[in-house]
Amino acid sequence: MDHRDRKPATRLGHAGRDPQAWRGAVNPPVFHASTVLFDSVAALEEGDRHPFDTFNYGRVGNPTADAFERAMAELEGGYRAVSVSSGLAAITVALLASVKGGDHQLMVDTAYRPTRRFCDTVLAGFGVETTYYDPLIGAGIEELIRPETRALYMESPGSGTFEVQDVPALTAAAKRHGLTTMIDNTWAGSVLFHPLAHGVDISIQAATKYIVGHADAMLGVAIARDKPTFLRLKRMAVMLGNAAGPDDLFLGLRGLRTLEVRLSRHEENALKVARWLEGRPEVARVLFPALPEDPGHALWQRDFSGASGLFGIVLHPVPKAAVAAMLDGLDLFGMGASWGGFESLILPAHPEKLRTATTWDAPGPVLRLHVGLEDPADLVADLDAGFDRLNAAAAGGEGA
Ligand SMILES: *Cc1c(COP(=O)(O)O)cnc(C)c1O
């Protein structure tokens, strides 16, 4: 039976593994290698003819990378995958493999901030024009496609504000015009949403987040739907000199084995915390498509098989110092970039500064929460004490 026909939890246990190749060991070894030796001129030439199917040089590939890439291609239903040194590297490789000077591309307005920055600086400098579009535009994207448009980039749910995109409608419109379509699929951890099944050409994963899952490695991967797309991605990554380190690839492989279990616990905990937050008087809105009240819920339910642990809340207007009083004193929620590890995190978000095609006009501050694997009752108690500090600071501020 082909693993592709099995359920995700089963596939995650077996994808990319080949114990017979490693003398029976369950996991592949970590290959620390730069030079690869050949025993004849004929073997060297044969290697040159198949640069991406054999091991020729450490930067181009090694058996640890191959195991991780085979697992990711299987998980996302792609032809092959390209692993690189970070999620952002996977994004920049995918963009550089899809557009060139004189081209135009369509970028979702709620893209991860460094993705926007890359388009506005490096790609703009190379003569690539970017039009940002409303994440909720759906089939209306067709009106933004020009003769020189080459690529459509999606990210769903959107960074910071969690709008769900109609990926099938967007992709269908893009295909009618021959565009390359790509998506940042990090929120879904490659398990909860399968973009390639909806016609997307390249699925991008910041494996740093849920796949590694323990906040201890940087890793990115781009999964290609077909061979020509794979070759464009792989050649670009090799030309840029971008390769993931073998220890990080090993941590990515290790993370995959527990990914489904961790994601379902993240979802369960996140729903408990989100529902509690919905009932709080300080909270104006919870931005989480897994909740029936969320405007993206219907699309999420149609296309996703579950939710991860990352969502947002909009507070009623309060002074900045009151938010700081809440966050500074939290015990279990850490403050810092990245997410997808076992621990809970919280950060102020500033969506109004990160969009140009749409506006964000909620009057109160936005917080982004990552709900980790701790007991949700303890997380709620931590936030409850935080709201006490927020309210005390807000009342003190008024009196002053
Ligand atoms: C973190 C993140 C990235 C970038 O991943 P790195 O491994 O940190 O470079 C890309 N997209 C999204 C949505 C992210 O949250």
Side-chain angles (χ1 to χ4, degrees):
M1 188 179 181
D2 189 332
H3 282 320
R4 286 171 197 249
D5 300 328
R6 295 193 162 109
K7 300 276 189 258
T10 311
R11 286 158 51 178
L12 283 164
H14 295 267
R17 285 181 43 218
D18 183 11
Q20 279 171 1
W22 318 120
R23 305 171 76 177
V26 168
N27 295 295
V30 180
F31 270 78
H32 282 279
S34 51
T35 301
V36 174
L37 301 175
F38 296 83
D39 59 9
S40 68
V41 172
L44 263 175
E45 287 175 352
E46 181 61 16
D48 281 347
R49 273 194 290 276
H50 306 283
F52 308 141
D53 300 318
T54 52
F55 303 115
N56 293 341
Y57 188 49
R59 194 206 305 128
V60 183
N62 73 53
T64 313
D66 185 55
F68 178 69
E69 290 166 355
R70 277 189 291 119
M72 291 306 303
E74 184 183 318
L75 192 56
E76 293 237 11
Y79 168 74
R80 278 180 74 176
V82 178
S83 59
V84 287
S85 57
S86 70
L88 184 59
I91 292 165
T92 58
V93 163
L95 287 168
L96 287 167
S98 306
V99 290
K100 60 182 187 327
D103 289 349
H104 170 249
Q105 62 169 1
L106 294 165
M107 170 63 60
V108 65
D109 206 25
T110 44
Y112 178 61
R113 185 179 202 169
T115 305
R116 286 187 75 108
R117 212 176 280 141
F118 182 73
C119 295
D120 297 344
T121 58
V122 178
L123 289 184
F126 289 162
V128 175
E129 191 190 342
T130 301
T131 297
Y132 290 95
Y133 68 88
D134 183 338
L136 306 180
I137 198 168
I141 195 75
E142 203 144 4
E143 283 162 33
L144 299 180
I145 299 175
R146 310 176 193 166
E148 68 276 20
T149 310
R150 291 287 170 271
L152 169 73
Y153 188 104
M154 298 165 277
E155 182 176 330
S156 180
S159 260
T161 43
F162 304 94
E163 294 87 346
V164 182
Q165 295 196 257
D166 191 342
V167 172
L170 288 159
T171 306
K175 285 294 117 185
R176 283 194 286 277
H177 298 268
L179 274 55
T180 297
T181 53
M182 60 198 112
I183 188 167
D184 185 329
N185 194 31
T186 302
W187 186 85
S190 294
V191 170
L192 308 172
F193 181 53
H194 291 122
L196 305 192
H198 296 281
V200 177
D201 296 311
I202 304 168
S203 180
I204 297 161
Q205 187 57 234
T208 305
K209 309 289 167 61
Y210 282 118
I211 291 184
V212 166
H214 294 71
D216 52 5
M218 304 295 302
L219 186 62
V221 59
I223 301 101
R225 88 181 274 102
D226 54 27
K227 186 172 180 178
T229 309
F230 164 74
L231 289 173
R232 279 194 287 132
L233 288 170
K234 182 69 186 176
R235 287 184 184 129
M236 183 54 69
V238 169
M239 279 187 281
L240 293 172
N242 201 320
D247 292 303
D248 298 332
L249 289 158
F250 181 84
L251 291 172
L253 274 166
R254 165 168 290 198
L256 284 177
R257 309 306 172 204
T258 56
L259 178 60
E260 205 270 343
V261 180
R262 289 186 284 109
L263 278 174
S264 56
R265 184 61 73 91
H266 281 293
E267 174 179 37
E268 189 184 319
N269 289 359
L271 279 168
K272 284 182 183 156
V273 173
R275 290 215 172 92
W276 179 80
L277 285 164
E278 270 188 318
R280 289 293 307 197
E282 300 86 352
V283 175
R285 260 180 80 194
V286 178
L287 311 168
F288 193 22
L291 295 175
E293 300 74 29
D294 190 275
H297 185 70
L299 280 181
W300 171 81
Q301 209 166 29
R302 186 191 70 186
D303 294 344
F304 288 70
S305 62
S308 61
L310 190 78
F311 64 90
I313 57 174
V314 185
L315 299 175
H316 289 298
V318 283
K320 197 174 165 185
V323 177
M326 174 181 183
L327 300 193
D328 291 356
L330 289 171
D331 192 24
L332 298 175
F333 283 84
M335 271 192 281
S338 212
W339 44 276
F342 49 81
E343 83 290 20
S344 292
L345 300 169
I346 194 163
L347 270 185
H350 300 283
E352 69 285 354
K353 291 186 192 162
L354 297 178
R355 48 183 71 205
T356 48
T358 55
T359 51
W360 179 264
D361 47 21
V366 179
L367 302 176
R368 188 188 78 180
L369 287 87
H370 179 250
V371 175
L373 302 176
E374 303 95 330
D375 191 298
D378 290 327
L379 296 176
V380 161
D382 200 24
L383 293 171
D384 192 38
F387 281 125
D388 286 347
R389 287 190 301 277
L390 177 139
N391 289 324
E398 273 164 31

